[in-house]
Amino acid sequence: MLLCACARPISQHESSTDTLAATKYGEVQGFVASGVKTWLGIPYAAPPVGELRFRRNQPPQPWQGVKKCVAFGNKPIQYMNMFGLERSRLPASEDCLYLNVWTPQTAGRDANLPVFVWIYGGAYHMGEGSDPMYDGASFARDGVVFVNFNYRVGPLGFYDFSMYGSRFESNCGVSDQIAALRWVRDNIAAFGGDPNNVTIAGESAGGTGVYNMLASPAARGLFQKAIAESGVTGNTESRRMVEMNNAIFFEKLGVNPRTDINKLLDMPAQDMLAAAAYTLKEGPRRHPGIFMPGPVKDDLLPLHPWEAMAQGNARGVNVILGTNRNEGTLFALLGLLPKDWGQVEKMLRDNGTADSIPAVTDLYAAENGTKKMTSLAGDRAFVVDMVKSADAQSVFGNTYVYRFDYAPLLPGLLALGAAHSAEISTALATNDHPFWLLTPAARRKELTQAMHGAWLNFVKTGNPNGPGVSPAWPQYDPERRLTYIFDQSNSVEANPHNRVYEVWKDIQLYQ
């Protein structure tokens, strides 16, 4: 048998009985543990190394025999380490394009179960499918086939060098995401999943990935439902933004891209780490309000997501879209926000919107210091474009919008509030987010039952209402903009972001 990725020993409580599945590239065998069948480290693409570095995703080579998939594949090269937290001890490698599947132990190949595909976040610079927070066992126990996958991050996945030479292609990380969804369409029936009942979901950069799949013509028809948690919908970069970020990256790297771009073809991936970290920090300092390097406008993403959705690119796809109440606080802690109001005014002047300064100033007049900056960042980066997207998609598919207002005890003590990413473990029922360490178990269970319950209902039926969800979650429309609030006591609010939206809706930065 072939061993898939890196070795993971099977314990005495596990077996590989009845876990043989035939993919279009070859047979794979997983294991059974705690009532869940699991396959780890299935290759869904050719390793993006050598001639495939900086190139879009290519299919894997078929194999002979049975590939034993009992170990996570290598995680992608990581270009960011948030607060020194390492989510796994797996080796990082450019050979990282692997996916993982969890199914109920009782699911046969003809089970035709709903499928949930998770796209991790990490500011386009970090993340891995092997993160314990993204474990799929809970969904599998509830009758859902769960899939997650690795995609390239940092300069290898999301920096666009295509303007410097034909050897470089844009949106390599986006192409990985599309390839993973194609693999699901072509192979998930062998694992008991229904390829015509697929929900994609993700948070932060993964939530942005969901918006991008809704917007990409190449992803059309690969899924039927979508959940975007805290996606930065506007982070589909213009040529101007790409050039501004690239200038900082190459300055630190000490490479002239006009003459020496091919040095990147065989440069050790780790040698780009310092330049990527510098770009993340220096970009907002020089150009307040600029997005970090991420997806770019090209043939895969010709429009901003809300523009593509307004044209019906995701016609018939039901969606849940949402944000957290205090999205900006975590980014202030990371030093990625404008430091003072002078930088905010510079941001607006530099983008030809100086006439909006009085309205923006008035919007945040009641707040002071860091709170002023974090509110502005959350509104501008997360809220306004989410509303645009919800308005657009509600014409073409059933749309549900939420805001997560509950502040777990630890981020509450740190003045982070209902911070960015706080909802992940409640939505996925994985209980592995450090923010929740001090929160009473009973309260955490209640929130998980509500949010995870809504996600499960939506995955199975296209409607979040059902067991565990109270009060009822109304469908969204552009007139009332009814929004479900997850908090100590869940509720529904009409148009909670109206004033913010009216001030920011026409302000475009670095386009």
Side-chain angles (χ1 to χ4, degrees):
M1 299 181 80
L2 301 174
L3 184 64
C4 212
C6 51
R8 175 189 184 278
I10 298 179
S11 79
Q12 61 181 345
H13 303 294
E14 302 171 346
S15 75
S16 58
T17 305
D18 194 30
T19 60
L20 195 65
T23 77
K24 66 183 291 187
Y25 302 106
E27 290 187 305
V28 294
Q29 188 166 54
F31 60 92
V32 177
S34 303
V36 175
K37 294 179 186 177
T38 305
W39 294 260
L40 303 176
I42 302 174
Y44 74 90
V49 299
E51 290 297 314
L52 296 183
R53 185 190 244 194
F54 297 116
R55 309 288 289 190
R56 289 182 180 174
N57 195 289
Q58 296 296 315
Q61 288 295 316
W63 58 84
Q64 300 297 316
V66 177
K67 192 180 286 289
K68 196 172 185 181
C69 292
V70 297
F72 286 115
N74 302 318
K75 64 185 175 185
I77 301 291
Q78 305 287 289
Y79 287 93
M80 183 179 181
N81 189 345
M82 194 174 295
F83 311 124
L85 297 175
E86 188 174 31
R87 298 300 293 171
S88 83
R89 296 186 179 276
L90 290 171
S93 171
E94 291 185 64
D95 177 6
C96 64
L97 299 182
Y98 300 94
L99 56 75
N100 313 296
V101 181
W102 290 260
T103 73
Q105 183 174 352
T106 56
R109 294 173 183 82
D110 58 352
N112 224 34
L113 296 174
V115 180
F116 183 87
V117 182
W118 178 258
I119 308 173
Y120 56 71
Y124 309 109
H125 284 72
M126 60 181 285
E128 55 185 292
S130 43
D131 188 324
M133 190 160 53
Y134 310 142
D135 182 89
S138 178
F139 274 87
R141 293 189 190 100
D142 285 316
V144 174
V145 175
F146 184 103
V147 180
N148 71 27
F149 60 92
N150 289 343
Y151 60 89
R152 286 169 283 179
V153 296
L156 299 172
F158 285 99
Y159 287 43
D160 181 14
F161 306 135
S162 62
M163 69 283 294
Y164 306 122
S166 60
R167 179 59 182 75
F168 298 82
E169 293 183 320
S170 58
N171 276 335
C172 293
V174 174
S175 79
D176 293 342
Q177 295 169 359
I178 294 171
L181 295 182
R182 287 176 176 155
W183 186 97
V184 169
R185 177 196 62 193
D186 296 340
N187 297 284
I188 205 63
F191 300 82
D194 180 356
N196 297 309
N197 188 9
V198 175
T199 300
I200 65 170
E203 186 272 342
S204 192
T208 307
V210 171
Y211 282 115
N212 290 337
M213 295 304 99
L214 289 163
S216 177
R220 194 180 298 139
L222 295 178
F223 56 94
Q224 291 69 47
K225 300 183 284 290
I227 302 173
E229 301 173 26
S230 300
V232 185
T233 324
N235 196 9
T236 307
E237 297 189 0
S238 65
R239 180 65 175 266
R240 178 188 178 196
M241 201 180 301
V242 169
E243 290 178 345
M244 294 166 84
N245 278 321
N246 280 357
I248 297 170
F249 175 77
F250 285 113
E251 171 191 310
K252 182 67 174 179
L253 196 63
V255 169
N256 183 339
R258 301 293 175 186
T259 58
D260 299 321
I261 188 64
N262 285 342
K263 287 183 177 180
L264 270 64
L265 296 176
D266 54 12
M267 179 182 291
Q270 294 291 354
D271 288 1
M272 303 178 208
L273 175 58
Y278 181 73
T279 304
L280 286 173
K281 292 283 189 177
E282 184 67 8
R285 190 190 70 80
R286 292 190 196 178
H287 313 296
I290 194 172
F291 285 127
M292 59 191 65
V296 301
K297 287 187 175 180
D298 64 4
D299 59 306
L300 293 181
L301 295 173
L303 299 169
H304 282 301
W306 63 85
E307 296 170 334
M309 285 187 269
Q311 294 183 11
N313 191 74
R315 184 185 301 272
V317 177
N318 294 347
V319 300
I320 292 176
L321 312 177
T323 61
N324 292 3
R325 186 178 187 93
N326 305 113
E327 295 281 10
T329 54
L330 186 63
F331 296 92
L333 204 61
L334 294 169
L336 299 178
L337 303 186
K339 293 187 174 8
D340 54 45
W341 201 253
Q343 281 202 314
V344 173
E345 293 190 356
K346 170 178 165 53
M347 172 184 77
L348 296 171
R349 286 194 300 270
D350 287 352
N351 286 277
T353 58
D355 58 343
S356 68
I357 291 175
V360 173
T361 301
D362 182 64
L363 183 61
Y364 303 101
E367 298 176 322
N368 296 305
T370 301
K371 181 67 168 65
K372 188 187 292 273
M373 295 298 107
T374 60
S375 294
L376 181 148
D379 293 343
R380 184 256 157 167
F382 295 91
V383 171
V384 175
D385 294 338
M386 182 277 290
V387 174
K388 290 181 183 178
S389 299
D391 283 358
Q393 187 60 17
S394 65
V395 177
F396 297 101
N398 296 341
T399 299
Y400 301 88
V401 169
Y402 75 89
R403 192 179 71 206
F404 188 83
D405 280 14
Y406 185 80
L409 186 56
L410 181 58
L413 292 172
L414 296 173
L416 297 175
H420 185 73
S421 82
E423 88 296 343
I424 298 174
S425 60
T426 54
L428 301 186
T430 51
N431 297 327
D432 195 66
H433 197 303
F435 278 169
W436 292 86
L437 290 175
L438 302 178
T439 301
R443 182 65 195 116
R444 188 171 180 175
K445 182 179 179 181
E446 289 174 1
L447 268 171
T448 300
Q449 286 176 336
M451 197 167 200
H452 182 61
W455 270 218
L456 275 174
N457 296 337
F458 183 77
V459 168
K460 293 177 179 180
T461 70
N463 186 324
N465 290 291
V469 180
S470 179
W473 188 337
Q475 197 168 312
Y476 178 97
D477 65 73
E479 288 71 41
R480 296 178 299 166
R481 293 182 177 144
L482 295 175
T483 301
Y484 200 85
I485 309 296
F486 289 98
D487 203 349
Q488 292 274 10
S489 178
N490 299 336
S491 61
V492 176
E493 292 186 19
N495 212 354
H497 307 297
N498 184 55
R499 186 175 176 221
V500 166
Y501 180 77
E502 290 302 321
V503 170
W504 280 103
K505 65 180 182 180
D506 296 321
I507 299 174
Q508 294 292 308
L509 305 180
Y510 304 109
Q511 296 303 304

